[in-house]
């Protein structure tokens, strides 16, 4: 495998059986995600975006095809992949700091090192002063900050994010997008992000992969030539708006196809 390629998805398909019929969620998807790249899977609801991400995470097994990380076949969950979900997945009985330290403690890391790493990531996600706070006292955006910090604290080779801002209000979502770009620009982790939000995909990414309606296939690849670091002002530029129109046209084509199919 090319050394520049971090994550290789090769002809991956996933089918389920429903009422005795085979339902294909995704079909023959092939992607190569480069080392330190921020790549986004964009597509209409039900196109299999989350299914693909769960296969990369090792939470689902593909019906066909193979996924490799650093040349090694993914056969199940592993510490080399960090996952952040749309739903809030913090442990309610642990504080912010304890949630971030959880994976480090499981690995047997010395306590002092755990606390040092937790402090670093509390700072990175802007939660200083909330270290001893429990999740029930946090807003949705703050909970997702903790979830991102927890995933990154384990130093994964790839960070997987499944619509992590989907449940947030528009203003908080925009702030979280800026936070994520800032963290990525500092750490340069390889990220595979899933969303159905076109603006979000373009703002965050180096490349956007647009999927078809079910069964999900790769319809198009859109390189994002926007300079970094990025702030919200870039969303008003001509380049951004042109990319947004291109992506919206591709998504609309698939939405129309899905409606015609159902009819």
């Amino acid at each position: 495998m090319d050394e520049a390629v971090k994550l290789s998805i090769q002809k991956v398909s996933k089918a389920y059986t429903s009422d005795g019929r085979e339902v294909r969620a995704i079909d023959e998807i092939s992607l190569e995600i480069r080392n330190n790249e921020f790549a986004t899977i964009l597509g209409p609801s039900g196109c299999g975006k989350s299914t693909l991400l769960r296969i990369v995470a090792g939470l689902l097994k593909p019906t066909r095809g193979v996924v490799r990380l650093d040349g090694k076949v993914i056969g199940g969950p592993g510490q080399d992949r960090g996952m952040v979900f749309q739903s809030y997945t913090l442990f309610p009985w642990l504080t912010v700091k304890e949630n971030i330290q959880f994976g480090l403690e499981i690995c047997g890391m010395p306590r002092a090192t755990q606390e040092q790493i937790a402090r670093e990531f509390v700072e990175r996600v802007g939660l200083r002063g909330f270290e001893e706070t429990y999740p029930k006292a946090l807003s949705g955006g703050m909970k997702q900050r903790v979830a991102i910090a927890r995933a990154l604290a384990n130093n994964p080779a790839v960070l997987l994010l499944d619509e992590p801002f989907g449940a947030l209000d528009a203003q908080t979502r925009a702030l979280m997008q800026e936070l994520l770009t800032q963290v990525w620009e500092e750490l340069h982790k390889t990220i595979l992000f899933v969303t159905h939000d076109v603006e979000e995909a373009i703002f965050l990414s180096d490349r956007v992969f647009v999927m078809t309606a079910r069964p999900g296939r790769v319809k198009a690849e859109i390189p994002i030539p926007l300079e970094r670091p990025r702030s919200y002002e870039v969303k008003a530029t001509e380049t951004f708006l042109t990319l947004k129109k291109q992506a919206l046209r591709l998504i609309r084509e698939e939405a129309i196809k899905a409606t015609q199919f159902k009819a």
Side-chain angles (χ1 to χ4, degrees), residues 115-186:
E115 296 193 351
Q116 177 185 347
I117 292 172
R119 284 195 299 271
E120 174 189 345
F121 281 96
V122 162
E123 289 284 343
R124 285 189 185 278
V125 299
L127 287 175
R128 184 170 60 177
F130 292 90
E131 294 89 340
E132 303 304 322
T133 304
Y134 288 91
K136 66 180 180 180
L138 301 176
S139 68
M142 293 171 78
K143 288 176 184 176
Q144 288 302 64
R145 291 184 190 205
V146 179
I148 291 169
R150 181 176 63 186
L152 287 170
N154 294 313
N155 194 27
V158 175
L159 181 63
L160 308 171
L161 298 108
D162 189 5
E163 302 204 48
F165 311 142
L168 304 178
D169 64 85
Q171 183 177 359
T172 303
R173 185 170 187 150
L175 291 171
M176 290 298 295
Q177 290 166 6
E178 289 194 82
L179 171 72
L180 184 57
T181 60
Q182 291 166 7
V183 171
W184 179 85
E185 285 157 7
E186 291 170 5

Side-chain angles (χ1 to χ4, degrees), residues 13 31 39 83 133:
S13 300
L31 298 174
M83 185 86 174
T133 304

Side-chain angles (χ1 to χ4, degrees), residues 213-214 251-263:
R214 195 177 66 197
I251 294 293
R252 178 174 169 76
E253 288 172 358
E254 292 309 309
I256 290 171
K257 286 180 185 177
T259 303
Q260 289 171 341
F261 178 76
K262 289 177 182 178

Side-chain angles (χ1 to χ4, degrees), residues 185 227-231:
E185 285 157 7
E227 292 185 3
R228 294 187 185 273
R230 294 177 191 166
S231 65

